[in-house]
Amino acid sequence: MSDQNFFLSKTLFREFERKHLRFISSLEDLDLLWAIGYGEQSGHPLGLKELVLAEFGSAKTLQRRLDRLKDRGVVLHRQSLDDGRRIEFFLTSRTMQLLEAYKTFIVQNGMQSRDPALNPFTQSSNRPSSPP
């Protein structure tokens, strides 16, 4: 991927994030959502202790960030079925839908440019020849 194509892809990703993922205030929020989603999908939901140990911030900073994300309807928490003292974090179904759309957008736009000058398959001189 050329440098120009790389920057165009990153621009398209950020455009998508600003339009559809408005609840993300920072890259730290996005990192936190990836971690919570991964824990949830792997069958090992994360608690506050794991998030602090993963260095997403101090316990107080992390708690403020999680409270803000809960208030925005992005994450939810519930008591662990295994340990009643433990609170586990999950992404809401709406957040999962938005992140699934983001994943699809990345797959569809991540490696190809929308700039025809950078995409060899749109230029007649660079089109692959037909198979014999």
Side-chain angles (χ1 to χ4, degrees):
M1 176 183 293
S2 71
D3 287 345
Q4 189 173 7
N5 209 6
F6 170 79
F7 289 115
L8 179 60
S9 292
K10 292 302 179 189
T11 300
L12 292 173
F13 295 159
R14 287 295 298 136
E15 188 178 292
F16 184 95
E17 291 168 1
R18 282 191 300 276
K19 184 175 181 182
H20 300 287
L21 307 177
R22 291 177 172 234
F23 52 82
I24 297 174
S25 299
S26 66
L27 290 176
E28 288 82 8
D29 284 354
L30 190 58
D31 290 342
L32 190 56
L33 294 181
W34 296 143
I36 292 170
Y38 179 75
E40 183 178 351
Q41 287 192 334
S42 67
H44 303 288
L46 300 179
L48 186 60
K49 181 178 180 179
E50 289 89 359
L51 294 171
V52 169
L53 291 174
E55 299 182 8
F56 286 105
S58 69
K60 194 68 167 167
T61 298
L62 191 53
Q63 190 64 54
R64 272 193 309 267
R65 182 170 285 134
L66 288 166
D67 286 343
R68 184 174 27 76
L69 291 171
K70 283 188 286 186
D71 289 345
R72 292 179 178 178
V74 177
V75 300
L76 52 91
H77 69 279
R78 61 180 172 244
Q79 198 171 16
S80 170
L81 298 175
D82 299 328
D83 181 351
R85 299 167 297 172
R86 178 181 155 86
I87 300 296
E88 297 172 332
F89 294 92
F90 300 88
L91 301 177
T92 64
S93 60
R94 176 71 179 138
T95 302
M96 287 297 283
Q97 290 171 351
L98 289 168
L99 293 178
E100 187 64 32
Y102 186 50
K103 180 180 86 172
T104 300
F105 181 82
I106 289 172
V107 169
Q108 290 174 347
N109 295 284
M111 298 308 267
Q112 294 180 339
S113 172
R114 290 187 179 181
D115 181 349
L118 298 176
N119 191 340
F121 295 104
T122 61
Q123 298 174 7
S124 61
S125 62
N126 290 334
R127 286 193 185 168
S129 59
S130 301

